[in-house]
């Protein structure tokens, strides 16, 4: 839609001045600001002067179009000169003042050229209503030609207003520059402060890493010393204990000199105590072996009935002597499983022996069942029970429930460690004063006791040569190719040049830490992070990139194998396979 506001005809410079005023008045009536009013008037004047010098007469009309957006249009139409018209400086100047300048040849009952200047209304203003357009039209209709002097005065007033506007803008720009300079000084001061704080923080992190290294080394040495102590002391104790048991048996032998009833009873007590002490020593030895990874399961077809019969034969006399019933309930159908029978025997002997030790009257009931491809063994007693706050701690090494006596505090931790080696688990529930039930769960099929490594190219990233050598030894015979990098940047260069199938990455390195490398490794490459700190303490989201982690203090072939399998499976899942 378009609405014509007024027509003019230009024949001389005075007409150009009138058209200029009309352009400015129309812009003012339609809501243009002062600067846009001057631009519109000047653009109309420049095009009018250029055309008047070349062709006369020139028909001019002002319109308002509403599609596609409200726009003020000044249209100049004139007969096409021979050879066409070349746009001059006036048209070029107008193009810089309005939104667009269009020139076209038209045939409307006669050949003519039309030049259109377009200036869009402000976007925040609504399209002019009919009443507003009528008011603009009336305002232009009342417009009368003015003298050259009046025109000059009007232009001078506009120029003065424009200069004032330029001066105001220059002053505003000066203020803004001053504010920006002040802001820049503040930013620079803040940057220096943050840089100093960051440097101080980095020094603290380096010191913390050094302290963690020292603590980790101390813990490792302490763990090794503890294991050596258990092993050495246990071995040293076995010899005199066996001697005491042997001497007691000789004294009880019928071929020896006869003993009085009291002496016979006392020697039996010595023999029983020696046997108990030997059991504790053997328990310490087995636990030390399990902790350092020396116990390796040997899976075989196993009949739980045979294992339980053997345990009952060993512990039945002790139960009868204590006046406690030992009841073993087996399912009617034989249950067979593939596991290490010796380890299963040790687990059940610990669980049943522990139940008998803390039951003074009543019974210890053993129930065996097969549930969802699992062998489930419940060992329930009617003993003293365990308070809720102590039920999880009984699986801690050397922990003994307050108010109880006897044992080393290693029975349940040892049984749990063996159950884990066999691919199973232990659970406990208890009511104080009523009794305790410990449940053993083992997979009925082939127990996942060891997952052998079978990988291609493995890249070891560790700044310590001893650490790289240890990992190489653990990978012996399991990886088709092993390469090494002693630092983060070297590792990234190797990955780019020769992508590995798995990366074994040490968390802490002086040059660049493992998290830096993690953040830059391609997501398709499985990564096993070797660390001796809790990643949750670091609180760094980059650690989430690791597909698996291994505690360096407990690094062995089994732990490494399990971590590599986990990393490979995790990377495949991330890659969408």
């Amino acid at each position: 839609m378009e609405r014509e506001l007024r027509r003019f005809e230009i024949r001389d410079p005075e007409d150009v001045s009138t058209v200029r005023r009309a352009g400015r008045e129309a812009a003012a009536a339609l809501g243009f600001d002062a600067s846009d009013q001057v631009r519109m008037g000047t653009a109309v004047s420049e095009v009018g002067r250029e055309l008047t010098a070349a062709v006369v007469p020139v028909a001019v009309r002002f319109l308002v179009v509403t599609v596609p957006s409200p726009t003020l249009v000044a249209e100049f139409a004139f007969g096409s000169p021979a050879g066409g018209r070349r746009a001059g400086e006036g048209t070029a100047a107008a193009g810089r003042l309005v939104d667009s300048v269009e020139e076209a040849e038209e045939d409307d009952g006669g050949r003519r050229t039309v030049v259109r200047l377009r200036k869009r209304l402000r976007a925040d203003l609504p399209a002019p209503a009919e009443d507003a357009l009528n008011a603009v039209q009336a305002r232009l209709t009342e417009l009368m030609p003015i003298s050259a002097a009046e025109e000059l005065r009007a232009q001078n007033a506009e120029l003065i207003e424009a200069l004032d506007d330029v001066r105001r803008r220059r002053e505003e720009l000066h203020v803004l520059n001053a504010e920006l300079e002040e802001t820049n000084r503040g930013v620079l001061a803040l940057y220096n402060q943050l840089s100093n704080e960051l440097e101080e923080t980095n020094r603290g992190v380096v010191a913390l890493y050094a302290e963690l290294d020292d603590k980790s080394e101390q813990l490792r040495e302490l763990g090794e010393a503890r294991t050596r102590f258990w092993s050495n002391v246990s071995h040293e104790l076995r010899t005199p204990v066996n001697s005491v048991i042997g001497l007691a048996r000789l004294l009880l032998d019928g071929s020896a000199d006869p003993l009085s009833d009291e002496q016979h009873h006392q020697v039996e007590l010595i023999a029983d105590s020696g046997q108990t002490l030997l059991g504790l020593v053997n328990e310490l030895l087995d636990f030390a072996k399990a902790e350092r990874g020396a116990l390796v399961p040997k899976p075989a077809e196993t009949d739980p009935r045979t294992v339980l019969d053997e345990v009952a034969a060993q512990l039945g006399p002790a139960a009868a002597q204590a006046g406690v019933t030992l009841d073993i309930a087996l399912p009617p159908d034989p249950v067979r499983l593939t596991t290490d029978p010796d380890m299963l025997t040790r687990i059940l002997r610990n669980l049943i022996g522990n139940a008998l030790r803390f039951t003074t009257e009543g019974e210890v009931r053993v129930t065996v069942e097969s549930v969802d491809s699992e062998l489930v063994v419940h060992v329930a007693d009617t003993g003293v029970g365990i308070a809720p706050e102590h039920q999880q701690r009984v699986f801690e090494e050397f922990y003994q429930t307050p108010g109880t006596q006897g044992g080393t505090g290693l029975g349940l931790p040892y049984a749990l460690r063996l159950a884990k080696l066999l691919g199973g688990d232990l659970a406990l529930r208890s009511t104080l004063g009523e009794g305790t039930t410990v449940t053993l769960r083992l997979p009925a099929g082939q127990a996942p006791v060891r997952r052998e490594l079978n990988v291609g190219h493995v890249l070891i990233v560790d700044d310590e040569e001893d650490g790289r050598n240890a990992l190489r030894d653990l990978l012996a015979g399991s990886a088709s190719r092993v390469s090494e990098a002693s630092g983060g940047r070297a590792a990234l260069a190797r990955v780019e040049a020769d992508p590995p199938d798995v990366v074994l990455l040490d968390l802490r390195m002086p040059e660049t830490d493992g998290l830096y490398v993690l953040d830059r490794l391609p997501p398709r490459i499985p990564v096993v992070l070797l660390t001796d700190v809790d990643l949750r303490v670091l609180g760094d989201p980059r650690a989430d990139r690791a597909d698996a982690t291994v505690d360096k203090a407990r690094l062995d072939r089994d732990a490494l194998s399990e971590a590599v399998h986990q990393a490979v499976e995790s990377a495949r899942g991330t890659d969408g396979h």
Side-chain angles (χ1 to χ4, degrees):
M1 171 190 164
E2 67 179 39
R3 170 72 179 273
E4 183 177 302
L5 302 177
R6 186 175 173 183
R7 292 175 178 261
F8 295 89
E9 188 176 82
I10 298 178
R11 291 182 176 274
D12 53 39
E14 288 187 359
D15 293 335
V16 172
S17 298
T18 302
V19 170
R20 179 181 184 280
R21 288 178 58 207
R24 179 166 181 175
E25 292 290 339
L30 290 172
F32 287 92
D33 60 25
S35 61
D36 282 340
Q37 295 172 28
V38 173
R39 289 188 181 93
M40 189 65 186
T42 305
V44 169
S45 174
E46 290 299 313
V47 174
R49 293 182 193 283
E50 180 182 309
L51 295 178
T52 302
V55 292
V56 289
V58 177
V60 182
R61 65 174 184 151
F62 291 93
L63 323 102
V64 172
V65 297
T66 57
V67 179
S69 61
T71 304
L72 175 61
V73 180
E75 181 181 280
F76 299 80
F78 52 91
S80 300
R85 186 188 85 90
R86 291 184 179 180
E89 294 180 358
T91 303
R96 296 193 295 271
L97 298 171
V98 296
D99 295 321
S100 65
V101 177
E102 305 166 358
E103 184 169 340
E105 299 287 338
E106 296 182 355
D107 191 354
D108 188 12
R111 190 172 182 80
R112 67 174 189 165
T113 300
V114 178
V115 178
R116 293 185 179 89
L117 310 183
R118 296 180 183 272
K119 185 72 173 175
R120 287 187 296 274
L121 274 68
R122 284 168 44 189
D124 59 334
L125 295 178
E130 188 68 22
D131 293 344
L133 293 177
N134 291 336
V136 176
Q137 191 174 30
R139 186 170 179 176
L140 295 183
T141 302
E142 296 172 356
L143 198 65
M144 300 297 293
I146 61 175
S147 65
E150 291 176 345
E151 174 66 14
L152 181 60
R153 280 197 298 271
Q155 292 185 8
N156 286 340
E158 292 175 359
L159 179 59
I160 292 171
E161 184 178 350
L163 290 174
D164 287 342
D165 185 59
V166 170
R167 179 182 56 78
R168 286 193 301 271
R169 293 181 182 273
R170 186 170 61 246
E171 291 175 351
E172 291 174 359
L173 183 60
H174 179 72
V175 172
L176 288 175
N177 285 336
E179 292 177 354
L180 181 60
E181 185 176 352
E182 183 66 26
T183 302
N184 286 341
R185 284 196 293 269
V187 169
L188 183 60
L190 180 60
Y191 173 78
N192 291 333
Q193 180 183 352
L194 290 176
S195 297
N196 293 334
E197 292 178 357
L198 181 60
E199 185 177 354
E200 184 67 26
T201 301
N202 287 339
R203 285 196 294 268
V205 169
V206 171
L208 178 60
Y209 272 135
E211 184 178 353
L212 287 175
D213 282 336
D214 292 340
K215 297 296 183 184
S216 299
E217 183 65 21
Q218 292 174 12
L219 287 174
R220 185 186 63 79
E221 293 176 354
L222 179 61
E224 292 179 354
R226 183 182 63 175
T227 302
R228 287 195 302 269
F229 173 77
W230 288 356
S231 180
N232 294 337
V233 169
S234 299
H235 279 292
E236 292 296 328
L237 286 175
R238 289 181 74 176
T239 300
V241 170
N242 282 324
S243 299
V244 170
I245 295 173
L247 290 172
R249 287 175 179 169
L250 288 175
L251 291 173
L252 294 174
D253 192 341
S255 59
D257 293 337
L259 301 174
S260 65
D261 292 340
E262 181 61 27
Q263 289 174 331
H264 193 279
H265 176 67
Q266 292 175 352
V267 172
E268 283 183 338
L269 290 177
I270 293 173
D272 291 341
S273 298
Q275 198 65 45
T276 301
L277 182 57
L278 181 61
L280 296 177
V281 170
N282 289 334
E283 195 173 87
L284 280 172
L285 274 174
D286 288 342
F287 195 86
K289 289 180 181 179
E291 186 167 76
R292 69 172 183 268
L295 287 180
V296 179
K298 298 177 181 178
E301 289 294 324
T302 304
D303 183 359
R305 185 187 304 270
T306 303
V307 174
L308 284 168
D309 286 344
E310 180 182 344
V311 175
Q314 295 174 354
L315 300 179
Q321 184 177 2
V324 177
T325 302
L326 177 58
D327 183 14
I328 298 178
L330 291 170
D333 298 326
V335 178
R336 302 187 67 84
L337 74 158
T338 303
T339 190
D340 187 316
D342 292 334
M343 287 189 177
L344 178 58
T345 300
R346 296 176 194 173
I347 294 173
L348 293 176
R349 187 170 60 234
N350 271 281
L351 297 184
I352 298 173
N354 204 59
L356 290 172
R357 183 180 299 117
F358 298 107
T359 302
T360 57
E361 59 181 359
E363 67 173 357
V364 173
R365 182 174 180 81
V366 181
T367 306
V368 180
E369 57 182 341
S370 180
V371 180
D372 297 333
S373 301
E374 283 187 327
L375 176 73
V376 181
V377 181
H378 304 284
V379 180
D381 64 56
T382 58
V384 295
I386 304 172
E389 63 270 21
H390 301 298
Q391 290 182 15
Q392 288 302 316
R393 298 201 62 189
V394 295
F395 291 104
E396 297 178 7
E397 300 167 12
F398 300 109
Y399 181 79
Q400 292 182 327
T401 306
T404 61
Q405 295 181 349
T408 60
L410 291 175
L412 285 178
Y414 177 52
L416 176 61
R417 188 178 291 271
L418 293 181
K420 295 284 189 183
L421 284 173
L422 296 176
D425 201 0
L426 282 183
L428 178 144
R429 68 178 187 275
S430 181
T431 302
L432 193 61
E434 296 182 10
T436 301
T437 299
V438 181
T439 300
L440 167 67
R441 292 180 178 273
L442 291 178
Q446 177 65 47
V449 295
R450 177 189 288 269
R451 302 181 70 178
E452 292 296 336
L453 277 173
N454 185 16
V455 290
H457 176 200
V458 179
L459 172 61
I460 299 173
V461 185
D462 193 331
D463 62 303
E464 295 183 356
E465 185 177 358
D466 291 343
R468 298 196 299 271
N469 291 337
L471 289 171
R472 268 190 177 277
D473 293 340
L474 293 176
L475 291 170
S478 301
S480 60
R481 183 159 59 95
V482 178
S483 57
E484 299 179 7
S486 59
R489 294 187 176 86
L492 293 173
R494 282 186 176 273
V495 168
E496 184 176 358
D498 184 13
D501 297 308
V502 177
V503 175
L504 305 182
L505 175 63
D506 188 21
L507 174 63
R508 294 200 301 273
M509 292 176 288
E511 177 196 2
T512 52
D513 64 18
L515 295 178
Y516 172 89
V517 180
L518 266 179
D519 196 36
R520 288 159 176 76
L521 283 174
R524 65 181 182 277
I525 298 179
V527 180
V528 177
L529 191 62
L530 308 174
T531 177
D532 48 15
V533 298
D534 188 347
L535 296 180
R536 293 172 298 181
V537 175
L538 295 180
D540 195 317
R542 293 178 296 175
D544 296 337
R545 164 64 180 89
D547 300 292
T549 60
V550 176
D551 187 348
K552 292 174 67 174
R554 299 182 180 273
L555 183 61
D556 56 25
R557 186 177 178 84
D558 287 339
L560 182 62
S561 174
E562 185 63 30
V564 169
H565 281 285
Q566 178 184 341
V568 171
E569 292 171 3
S570 175
R572 285 175 179 170
T574 303
D575 203 27
H577 295 300

